[in-house]
Amino acid sequence: MIESDIKAKLSFSDGTPDIDLPIYKGTVGPDVIDIRKLYGQTGKFTYDSGFLSTASCNSKITYIDGDKGELLYRGYPIEDLAHNCDFLEVCYLLINGDLPNATQKKDFEELVMHHTMVHEQMQFFLRGFRRDAHPMSVLTGLVGAMAAFYHDEIDYSDPHAREVAQIRLIAKMPTLVAMAYKYSVGQPFIYPDNSLSYTANFMRMMFATPCEEYKVNPVLVRALDRIFTLHADHEQNASTSTVRLCGSSGTNPFAAISAGIACLWGPAHGGANEACLQMLNEIQANGGVEKIHEFIAQVKDKNSSVRLMGFGHRVYKNFDPRAKLMRETCYEVLNELGLQDDPLFKLAMTLEKIALEDEYFVSRKLYPNVDFYSGIVQRALGIPTEMFTCVFALARTVGWIAQWEEMITDPEYKIGRPRQLYVGETSRKVPNITVRK
Ligand code: CMC
């Protein structure tokens, strides 16, 4: 962090002396005002519910310019990465800070592909779940349970122990997601095939059966690989902040990632892709394109809680660059499968057009986000709706562990401990039960 020559001056109207607060500059993006000594100097906290103006850490991993619609992983634009790199290269980049050369790429692929199998006992743990449980609840449990199955390296101050945990997570997530799916449909688990690419292996574990081998289609593998890349990291979003906060206590990394998965599940976050497809299905079932205006009127009605899912973002206020790439992928996949006339895709495009011309969405700077089209692509690939957020979790795992590693190795790292503005009762005595109201 580079300290700026400019200082922020904070004045109070009650006679408390003014204080100067240091300002730090990033390489790009807004400067930050350092308030760490504020409480010590003034006895006051800052109030920022929802973290609208708070930088919780400094980071070198991902940069977003919400006004420009720019997303960089380690300085590389997402468009460039999506067009020129595969997901494992992006994983290497996020963890190590630079893209791999040819040897590093091969070594990394081999390392990941030789950790794809999970402890055999994990399937018995999985069998304890109801088959109709939501796969995100199952995945939260499975990844949390990795802390029990892989607790041999407990000293996470050791870089090697951390690397082992990182590789295990990247390698085993596809296996666990596929196991959660197979269990939900009552099919036998398919073991990984390490001769396939990371993404092709995942698709095979999802869709092959012991009776029928899965034929890998390179266009579809590329599409899913791109979905992984687009979801790999997104700076300090809710689930990443959850992983950092949880991990800041020094807990087991599998437990911290499990907390991130739980957070991601919510419909305002990763659960939006599932909610978006459900929304499109409902509009379609109620009359399709003809009913869009009625649906939009409901969204705009202050008395209804209906939201246009897959629209809006806390940071992007111009466009979400991932949504553009996802739309491109959507065309590729539907063409490949001969589904150009897919009614849901047509409905989504019409809905997007109508919303983008509507004053309500324009004035609030609401644009399609990555989840608006990702559900249509995943559905075309044969992934069931309830599995969408698991696919997101699989992809985001690398971002979570890169952020966890960055936090653990930050010399300024402390356990996360926000404060509060208390607005409850002041101290009072417990009345005898006979006189309580
Ligand atoms: N549909 C209708 N109105 C909306 C929407 C929407 N999708 N999003 C925001 N608004 C309105 C909101 O009602 C409010 O209006 P007003 O000022 O009149 O009260 C205004 O826009 C600001 O909304 P906010 O909730 O204060 O904004 P936020 O930054 O806290 O929320 C968001 C961001 C993503 C939670 C929200 O836009 C949303 O709920 N979108 C739908 C869910 C979704 O697609 N989430 C996926 C996000 S991208 C994937 C990921 O990173 O997880």
Side-chain angles (χ1 to χ4, degrees), residues 267-270 272 299 302 307-314 317 322 360-361 364 366 369-371 392:
H269 194 3
V299 170
K302 281 276 159 214
R307 282 203 164 193
L308 176 49
M309 299 313 285
F311 254 67
H313 200 274
R314 171 64 61 79
K317 299 297 173 198
R322 302 169 303 170
Y360 175 94
F361 297 93
R364 288 169 179 75
L366 301 171
N369 60 51
V370 66
D371 287 328
F392 190 159

Side-chain angles (χ1 to χ4, degrees), residues 95-121:
I95 293 173
N96 297 294
D98 266 312
L99 284 166
N101 61 29
T103 317
Q104 289 164 332
K105 177 173 157 70
K106 191 168 160 288
D107 291 349
F108 186 69
E109 279 171 1
E110 267 182 34
L111 190 61
V112 170
M113 295 318 286
H114 286 96
H115 284 84
T116 50
M117 222 159 54
V118 297
H119 195 296
E120 192 64 4
Q121 194 67 16

Side-chain angles (χ1 to χ4, degrees), residues 50 52 231 234 237-239 264 266-273 275-276 296 299-300 302 305-317 320 322 360-361 363-372 392 396:
L52 299 177
H231 287 87
H234 216 225
N237 56 81
S239 57
L264 186 76
H269 194 3
N273 50 18
C276 180
I296 293 279
V299 170
K300 288 158 53 175
K302 281 276 159 214
S305 56
V306 180
R307 282 203 164 193
L308 176 49
M309 299 313 285
F311 254 67
H313 200 274
R314 171 64 61 79
V315 183
Y316 294 118
K317 299 297 173 198
D320 178 343
R322 302 169 303 170
Y360 175 94
F361 297 93
S363 63
R364 288 169 179 75
K365 300 188 174 177
L366 301 171
Y367 297 88
N369 60 51
V370 66
D371 287 328
F372 195 68
F392 190 159
R396 182 57 58 86

Side-chain angles (χ1 to χ4, degrees), residues 63-107:
Y63 174 72
I64 303 173
D65 185 327
D67 293 324
K68 281 207 299 202
E70 180 176 63
L71 168 62
L72 311 176
Y73 292 166
R74 301 281 190 184
Y76 295 108
I78 190 68
E79 294 82 356
D80 216 355
L81 292 168
H83 289 125
N84 297 308
C85 297
D86 64 31
F87 177 64
L88 278 191
E89 286 175 272
V90 170
C91 289
Y92 186 98
L93 171 71
L94 287 169
I95 293 173
N96 297 294
D98 266 312
L99 284 166
N101 61 29
T103 317
Q104 289 164 332
K105 177 173 157 70
K106 191 168 160 288
D107 291 349

Side-chain angles (χ1 to χ4, degrees), residues 57 59-62 71-74 87-88 90-96 108 166 169-170 173 198 227-244 253 256-257 260-261 264 269 391-408:
C57 60
S59 180
K60 293 181 177 155
I61 302 173
T62 293
L71 168 62
L72 311 176
Y73 292 166
R74 301 281 190 184
F87 177 64
L88 278 191
V90 170
C91 289
Y92 186 98
L93 171 71
L94 287 169
I95 293 173
N96 297 294
F108 186 69
Q166 289 166 3
L169 274 159
I170 296 174
M173 274 302 276
Y198 183 84
I227 291 185
F228 292 166
T229 293
L230 298 184
H231 287 87
D233 194 48
H234 216 225
E235 53 119 305
Q236 308 312 318
N237 56 81
S239 57
T240 303
S241 300
T242 301
V243 170
R244 278 189 178 252
I257 301 298
I261 296 173
L264 186 76
H269 194 3
V391 170
F392 190 159
L394 185 173
R396 182 57 58 86
T397 294
V398 64
W400 290 328
I401 56 177
Q403 300 268 352
W404 170 76
E405 170 72 18
E406 185 177 65
M407 177 189 69
I408 299 272

